[in-house]
Amino acid sequence: MADSGYYWNLYWKKRKEVESLKDDIKDIEKIRDSLTDDFYDEIRNVNNELDAMKEDMKKAVRHNATFTAQANGLGNEKEKAVTADSLLGTTIQELNEEISRLTTKKKQAEANRDHYYNEYKQKKEEEKQEFWNKVTGQG
């Protein structure tokens, strides 16, 4: 029969695993957020510059229909959202799936950690009772 030290060791292993999984999830979320947020800011900046350039071009040459049509066409050249790129969209989806997988694994490790801690407390109490029974001559 296992003693309290055995369950304490299992508890610490699961506790370390939970912390490691938390760190992994945090790292992957940081990568995902960098892709979505940082690229979004860059896309917005590029699109704002295109809009400004289009307006400047339309102001510069006002009465030339061909030039105005081409300037208006610049709106079609705007950058799309990060997820519009199939490779980046797939990457973000896979990062989300990995976060989900690690979160599930972390929840299971937390449940195991808590189970081993309860087993440790129970065994510790049994060992304490056995010790007192020996000391008092009841065992």
Side-chain angles (χ1 to χ4, degrees):
M1 189 173 205
D3 64 355
S4 63
Y6 172 77
Y7 289 108
W8 183 254
N9 186 36
L10 291 174
Y11 162 74
W12 269 100
K13 284 181 182 177
K14 287 299 174 182
R15 184 175 167 173
K16 288 179 185 178
E17 181 181 348
V18 167
E19 292 305 314
S20 176
L21 288 167
K22 282 181 184 179
D23 290 342
D24 292 347
I25 291 168
K26 183 179 173 184
D27 291 344
I28 294 171
E29 286 175 337
K30 187 176 179 180
I31 292 167
R32 180 201 59 200
D33 293 346
S34 177
L35 282 174
T36 55
D37 297 343
D38 294 348
F39 278 172
Y40 175 79
D41 290 342
E42 291 296 322
I43 290 168
R44 190 188 58 206
N45 291 340
V46 167
N47 287 341
N48 287 342
E49 287 183 27
L50 279 172
D51 286 339
M53 185 172 71
K54 179 174 90 173
E55 291 307 313
D56 289 345
M57 289 175 71
K58 287 166 76 175
K59 288 177 187 174
V61 181
R62 292 189 178 155
H63 302 291
N64 184 326
T66 303
F67 190 82
T68 302
Q70 288 179 349
N72 287 334
L74 286 175
N76 298 332
E77 302 300 321
K78 284 188 173 184
E79 292 294 323
K80 310 293 186 271
V82 174
T83 54
D85 181 290
S86 63
L87 295 176
L88 284 175
T90 300
T91 300
I92 291 169
Q93 180 182 349
E94 289 173 356
L95 289 171
N96 285 332
E97 289 170 2
E98 182 64 6
I99 290 168
S100 177
R101 186 186 73 78
L102 290 175
T103 300
T104 300
K105 193 173 178 180
K106 179 182 74 82
K107 287 178 183 178
Q108 182 61 49
E110 288 171 334
N112 289 338
R113 176 200 62 195
D114 296 344
H115 170 74
Y116 291 138
Y117 186 72
N118 288 332
E119 287 291 324
Y120 160 75
K121 288 191 315 185
Q122 181 181 345
K123 289 295 181 182
K124 197 68 173 169
E125 190 59 37
E126 288 174 9
E127 292 167 359
K128 181 179 167 184
Q129 189 61 45
E130 285 177 24
F131 172 76
W132 283 111
N133 287 345
K134 286 181 184 177
V135 170
T136 60
Q138 296 177 4

